Amino acid sequence: MRILQWNVLNRPFDASKWNSEKWPALQSTILSHEPQIVTLQEVPFFLAKDLDSKLGEIGWDSVCCSPVQDREDVCVVAWDTSRLIQADEDGLHVTYEDKDIDAVTALLNPIDWTDPETGDLKLLTVTSYHGYWGALRQSARMGELVKMNREINELEADASLMCGDFNAPRDEDSIRWLMGEYMGLRQNEAGRIVTETTFWNEAQEVAVALGKKDKPEPTSLATGVAVETAAPHGINIEHMPARRIDFLASKGWSYGKRGGWTGDVLVEAHDDLSDHALLVADVID
């Protein structure tokens, strides 16, 4: 199964340009990679219903969240209905510290993924996540990921994907915690401080482990519109190539390969469409 992840940049804001120019270009680029699941961020909310309708014309379905954190755009999970069926009506929306997280989780049935003993369809959760923005928001992003991990676990799916623009570099504690490298601290119901961790597997890390790539490629690029986007926020453009903040993470597969990824990861820049590169990776079906 092929997963495509992309923060598509909520510009231009003009609906007519999105409909007539940007979405056709995005759709053409996305479909050229023949994915079965697509996770998007920064999709203008006023176009979400129209996007769902357009996806329906090509045999796809989608779910999105409502705008949060004073944003005007949303996260989207879309899937090919010839391969996956939605297992519930609405996506899961998670709240952290009385604020909705900019993310949506879809619970899906992969049509050709069944229990070998019972023949029952297995469940897959797919999350599109846009991390809290800001260099000083590390604790907020940690809180978001801890809360989302718990909520996703409660769905008791057979496997899970969490993809998105995490707004956190690879060495931030929140990402290290997600990958099982950092023992996070929390206060339990009895008031005691306890440690907890998790074991998601990141596609680019797996590619390196399997020898498919010399090193993970950056997914925030110092070219084109990325420079235009970064400069007003005071980001040093020279640091952009090393600032990898887009991730494809999975857990639940155990078929002889770490995390279920096959190890091939495509990182592809489209400066005319977004300030983020798209990511494409395959998981063991």
Side-chain angles (χ1 to χ4, degrees):
M1 189 177 295
R2 178 164 294 171
I3 319 302
L4 185 146
Q5 150 61 28
W6 203 2
N7 180 329
V8 296
L9 182 62
N10 185 15
R11 288 208 310 258
F13 296 102
D14 184 274
S16 63
K17 288 187 177 180
W18 259 91
N19 284 319
S20 64
E21 299 175 16
K22 185 158 185 173
W23 172 242
L26 290 170
Q27 177 177 295
S28 176
T29 303
I30 289 169
L31 294 181
S32 70
H33 294 288
E34 300 182 342
Q36 284 78 51
I37 298 173
V38 174
T39 54
L40 305 174
Q41 299 82 45
E42 292 200 35
V43 175
F45 182 62
F46 64 86
L47 290 174
K49 288 185 178 180
D50 190 49
L51 172 62
D52 186 66
S53 177
K54 285 181 167 60
L55 287 169
E57 294 174 3
I58 60 171
W60 282 58
D61 205 347
S62 69
V63 64
C64 72
C65 57
S66 298
V68 300
Q69 302 170 5
D70 298 322
R71 302 190 63 91
E72 296 179 347
D73 48 59
V74 294
C75 296
V76 170
V77 175
W79 60 92
D80 181 349
T81 57
S82 69
R83 292 289 303 276
L84 300 113
I85 302 171
Q86 190 171 5
D88 61 355
E89 291 299 320
D90 299 309
L92 171 68
H93 310 292
V94 181
T95 298
Y96 167 66
E97 290 189 343
D98 298 324
K99 290 184 178 180
D100 288 333
I101 299 173
D102 194 11
V104 62
T105 298
L107 186 61
L108 304 173
N109 289 130
I111 293 172
D112 55 358
W113 190 25
T114 59
D115 187 304
E117 295 182 359
T118 66
D120 294 337
L121 291 174
K122 293 190 175 184
L123 292 178
L124 170 69
T125 66
V126 182
T127 299
S128 178
Y129 169 60
H130 196 187
Y132 208 114
W133 191 89
L136 302 179
R137 297 293 186 176
Q138 294 98 327
S139 62
R141 288 188 288 270
M142 175 68 86
E144 288 182 340
L145 289 177
V146 169
K147 186 67 183 295
M148 282 202 303
N149 178 67
R150 291 179 193 160
E151 297 283 349
I152 291 169
N153 285 344
E154 288 181 3
L155 295 175
E156 298 183 343
D158 298 283
S160 296
L161 296 165
M162 188 189 300
C163 313
D165 169 11
F166 284 57
N167 272 318
R170 180 62 180 84
D171 59 355
E172 185 169 299
D173 283 346
S174 60
I175 306 299
R176 293 179 57 226
W177 175 83
L178 196 71
M179 307 306 168
E181 300 169 4
Y182 171 81
M183 298 294 287
L185 299 178
R186 70 176 180 88
Q187 191 173 40
N188 64 14
E189 293 180 359
R192 295 181 178 180
I193 300 299
V194 296
T195 60
E196 62 176 18
T197 189
T198 186
F199 297 99
W200 293 76
N201 294 289
E202 198 256 310
Q204 288 184 318
E205 297 292 306
V206 174
V208 175
L210 295 177
K212 298 295 183 70
K213 285 188 176 294
D214 294 331
K215 61 181 180 179
E217 297 182 38
T219 56
S220 286
L221 307 177
T223 55
V225 74
V227 175
E228 177 187 341
T229 302
H233 296 296
I235 297 174
N236 187 337
I237 305 304
E238 294 179 357
H239 296 165
M240 288 294 284
R243 193 170 171 272
R244 180 161 67 93
I245 60 176
D246 300 88
F247 298 92
L248 292 153
S250 69
K251 68 176 177 179
W253 284 275
S254 58
Y255 300 112
K257 291 193 178 181
R258 181 182 171 195
W261 298 103
T262 64
D264 295 310
V265 181
L266 172 70
V267 180
E268 190 172 274
H270 291 272
D271 296 331
D272 56 327
L273 295 174
S274 179
D275 57 345
H276 288 252
L278 65 80
L279 304 180
V280 183
D282 295 332
V283 295
I284 297 173
D285 203 346

